[in-house]
Amino acid sequence: MARVYAGKRILIGVTGSVAAFKVAGWVSTLAKAEALVSVIMTESARQFVTPLTFSALSGEKVHTDMFETESSEVMAHINLGREADIIIIAPASAQTIARLANGMAEDLLSTTVLAARAPVYICPAMNTRMFSHPATQLNLEKLKSFGYTVIDPDEGMMACKEEGKGRLPEWDQVDDIFQRALSNHDLSGKSVLVTAGPTREPIDPARFLSNRSSGKMGFAVARAAYRRGAEVTLVSGPTSLTAPLGVKRIDIQTAIEMHDAVMEYASSSRIIIKSAAVSDYRARTIFDEKVKKEQIKGSLELEKNPDILKELGRRKKEGQVLIGFAAESSRLEKEGRKKLQAKNLDMIAVNNIKSDSTGFEVDNNQLLLLTADGSENLPLVSKERIADMLLDRVVDICSREQRSELSK
Ligand code: PMT
């Protein structure tokens, strides 16, 4: 459960859309993460879900009326807006979007948003033609110009049995965006390039050379960097994982493709973290047709792939921070140090791939961090947690580099 939500005041505005029921799940998740969730429902929202559902899930009274006279409700629109750390309008109907875009203080939700200082996140959900109508699009552009963040709806089959863009995203897709909004932005303004997953080197239409990397470690690093305010580009080999919506993801298959994608973004990246498991070799010949058993002579001719990290080390620009990973099965420190030096890295994170509880595929990892002048053993924790610990050290390295640049 994400710790960033604990104690944070989250105001959720629920408006009239069939997707309102989905937001009940969001409220439940946030309440379990110990967020202090207040819900405002518009009149139309109450046609879809009852306030009782949201108050049962949030443990708080649901706000519906501008003119309730209970003392705690007097000036509710000012208090709710003033206290919130973040405001999420989900689902945001076309009507509420139009109201907010035009400053129409017609109900408790629109008045509260007008009076608020907190960052506002709008999650539109509606019929696909309503969403793409120029009136809605114009209103959304207006909201963006106010500094609100509009989270694009998903595509797919809608409740009205039409297909297209307009579905409210799942919690997993928006969670990172809200965590980023509430997190400490120590990587703000920094471009971070992360690689993840395996590469796949084809032999014929049926076969390839690859390795056991699932992408979990690299995706955890990309997600953590995104939450901490970085502009993240993720170059990933084939995996089944989903990247946060705000991360620029580039999918590749082979080491050569990874090389080309990495080199395209490397010079504009302040921090590069290479957690991908790149195939060191590829097949010399790629067959157009499936090779028959009888044709196979017992050996496969291989060709060396480029060492992407080594090339990055050679091309490293002043102020750039280059972090490698090392997958080792013995003599972790010795092998790690060789790579740290040979590839001109600021730090290398060595993991033991022989253990059942660290390295490839599993959800946890333990890292030995090596720099030119030190070493540190990080404990066995989730890949999400260790990604954050790794980034703490990266932030330290960046600050040291900045200080030494200033003193020149
Ligand atoms: O994806 P998961 O299932 O979560 O597993 C995580 C992991 C074990 C893959 C990850 O933690 C890890 O160790 N990644 C590095 C794997 C690896 O290729 O290690 P290496 O020791 O072979 O390579 C050293 C470094 O050089 C790595 O940063 C690698 O990305 C880079 N390299 C290697 C070969 C090559 N041709 N080009 C490279 O850039």
Side-chain angles (χ1 to χ4, degrees), residues 36-49:
L36 306 166
V37 188
S38 304
V39 176
I40 297 179
M41 293 182 80
T42 62
E43 197 180 334
S44 313
R46 282 176 271 147
Q47 305 295 321
F48 291 93
V49 186

Side-chain angles (χ1 to χ4, degrees), residues 213-215 217 274-276 306 309 325 339 343 351 361 383:
S213 173
S214 63
M217 190 64 247
K274 278 220 79 247
S275 47
L309 190 55
F325 268 74
K339 289 176 185 169
K343 303 192 186 203
N351 47 192
E361 297 167 302
K383 283 183 175 166

